[in-house]
Amino acid sequence: MILIRLISMLPLGVLYVFSDLLYLVAYYLIGYRKKVVQENLANAFPNKSCAERKQIEKDFYRNFTDSLAETIKLLTMGKKELNKRFLYKNAYLIFDRVNKGEIVIGMCGHFFNWEGHLLTVSSEVQEKCETIYTKINHPFFEKLMFSIRSRLGAKITERKSFQRNFLKTRHLPRLIVLAADQRPNQMDIRYRTIFMNRQAAFFEGGEKLAKKFGLTVIYAYTSKPKRGHYIFEYHILSGPPYTDHSPHSITEKFISLVERNIEDQPALYLWSHNRWKNQAKTSKPENPTTSRKPRSK
């Protein structure tokens, strides 16, 4: 950890040199998860040419290695640099509600650089930010990521214990951050629908929480104007009163927003994650019918 902290103290420009080298190794030499990336892009963008998908593929690997360098830098990055590199718009949608004593749910997708986004927001609301995460199996990386995510005051809660803890803390105003596009384990699958032209399973904890306790749900649209700089624009995804009790309504809105974000910023999404793994092996969904159709882009 000491070595990582020393590396983190290097200027980000220097770390990007290592990112460039890592890109060459990951993409051209070892082809890190290249088969998964190519399959995901081919299914997500069937109407794009091979050349267009190849460019997205290369840009993705550039963003991927840059995000690794940026995440290491987050271990020691000051608040001034955080606010310079990770900008957010319409933040009042979150902060005003939290300051009024409300709980807000932030449902986000795996767009680069989500770790910088989390740290910047937590620097503003500190202990009033709670991030729900899945524990990393490797002890060193688990300790590293926990240190980064919590260093500016955010509360970090493992997914398995979140529901039990929420019942004890539902009176505490805060932002609860959920990576709602994460693939559930086999035992956790509750809902399946079409996502980027293929059937995919989704967690629905955020939707159930929002409807049961009347909470506002926020989505952060992600863009990257230039290297090392990101913009997160907040939008109200759903809010009380929840008169529409149709199942999966919030989850479907979230999926649509993620798809739109992917279409606009395709190289920012985490294509190396096998999001659509074991499609045919999952259990039967609660509601096997869906009005969502595969996308043509």
Side-chain angles (χ1 to χ4, degrees):
M1 185 66 75
I2 295 176
L3 178 60
I4 297 297
R5 185 171 291 276
L6 290 174
I7 294 173
S8 176
M9 292 179 180
L10 294 171
L12 191 54
V14 175
L15 294 178
Y16 279 146
V17 174
F18 291 102
S19 172
D20 291 339
L21 295 174
L22 184 59
Y23 163 74
L24 296 176
V25 173
Y27 186 73
Y28 289 103
L29 293 183
I30 65 175
Y32 173 73
R33 294 197 174 186
K34 187 178 284 189
K35 184 177 180 181
V36 173
V37 172
Q38 291 174 343
E39 180 183 349
N40 287 341
L41 290 175
N43 283 282
F45 303 107
N47 288 353
K48 289 188 182 295
S49 66
C50 291
E52 288 174 317
R53 290 198 296 269
K54 178 62 70 173
Q55 188 59 56
I56 295 173
E57 179 184 324
K58 290 181 177 180
D59 290 344
F60 158 74
Y61 278 95
R62 287 281 188 185
N63 287 325
F64 180 73
T65 57
D66 274 3
S67 74
L68 295 178
E70 292 159 359
T71 300
I72 290 175
K73 183 62 182 176
L74 290 175
L75 188 61
T76 57
M77 185 180 289
K79 185 175 179 180
K80 183 177 180 180
E81 188 172 2
L82 273 173
N83 291 333
K84 176 184 175 182
R85 295 186 176 278
F86 302 94
L87 304 178
Y88 41 75
K89 296 182 178 180
N90 302 331
Y92 69 91
L93 295 174
I94 295 175
F95 299 155
D96 286 0
R97 285 175 169 81
V98 172
N99 290 334
K100 290 177 183 177
E102 297 181 24
I103 293 177
V104 176
I105 296 178
M107 293 177 67
C108 60
H110 279 85
F111 294 91
F112 301 122
N113 186 324
W114 64 85
E115 298 292 354
H117 179 203
L118 167 64
L119 198 60
T120 305
V121 173
S122 67
S123 72
E124 295 296 328
V125 294
Q126 297 178 356
E127 75 280 356
K128 292 183 179 180
C129 179
E130 180 179 10
T131 299
I132 314 307
Y133 84 110
T134 300
K135 190 173 183 179
I136 301 173
N137 291 329
H138 195 288
F140 174 80
F141 290 109
E142 165 67 14
K143 182 179 179 181
L144 174 63
M145 295 312 301
F146 189 92
S147 298
I148 291 172
R149 292 166 177 170
S150 62
R151 63 175 281 248
L152 294 181
K155 180 182 178 182
I156 310 300
T157 303
E158 191 176 359
R159 184 180 298 276
K160 292 180 180 179
S161 60
F162 169 62
Q163 290 187 356
R164 181 177 65 255
N165 290 343
F166 179 82
L167 294 176
K168 299 177 182 178
T169 60
R170 61 181 182 272
H171 62 287
L172 298 177
R174 63 197 187 277
L175 168 67
I176 298 176
V177 182
L178 302 172
D181 65 333
Q182 195 165 12
R183 188 187 75 223
N185 295 323
Q186 292 287 89
M187 65 183 65
D188 293 323
I189 292 173
R190 296 293 182 270
Y191 179 55
R192 294 180 62 85
T193 188
I194 300 298
F195 173 49
M196 296 306 294
N197 299 319
R198 283 191 286 176
Q199 194 179 82
F202 285 86
F203 287 109
E204 287 204 290
E207 171 161 344
K208 293 177 179 179
L209 208 63
K211 289 182 175 179
K212 183 174 182 179
F213 295 97
L215 309 180
T216 300
V217 183
I218 301 292
Y219 177 80
Y221 178 92
T222 306
S223 59
K224 184 180 181 180
K226 61 180 180 179
R227 192 178 200 183
H229 293 264
Y230 301 84
I231 298 175
F232 307 95
E233 186 171 355
Y234 300 127
H235 302 273
I236 295 179
L237 190 154
S238 189
Y242 288 104
T243 55
D244 178 10
H245 296 290
S246 60
H248 323 301
S249 58
I250 295 177
T251 304
E252 287 287 349
K253 288 180 182 178
F254 167 74
I255 296 169
S256 293
L257 287 172
V258 172
E259 288 184 326
R260 188 188 310 168
N261 205 158
I262 288 174
E263 289 174 359
D264 292 341
Q265 305 281 332
L268 288 184
Y269 196 65
L270 187 61
W271 297 110
S272 58
H273 176 47
N274 201 348
R275 181 63 182 81
W276 294 269
K277 184 180 180 181
N278 297 331
Q279 295 185 79
K281 297 180 181 180
T282 54
S283 58
K284 186 177 179 180
E286 288 181 354
N287 182 5
T289 62
T290 175
S291 60
R292 305 190 80 254
K293 303 296 182 182
R295 306 177 78 87
S296 61
K297 293 185 178 183

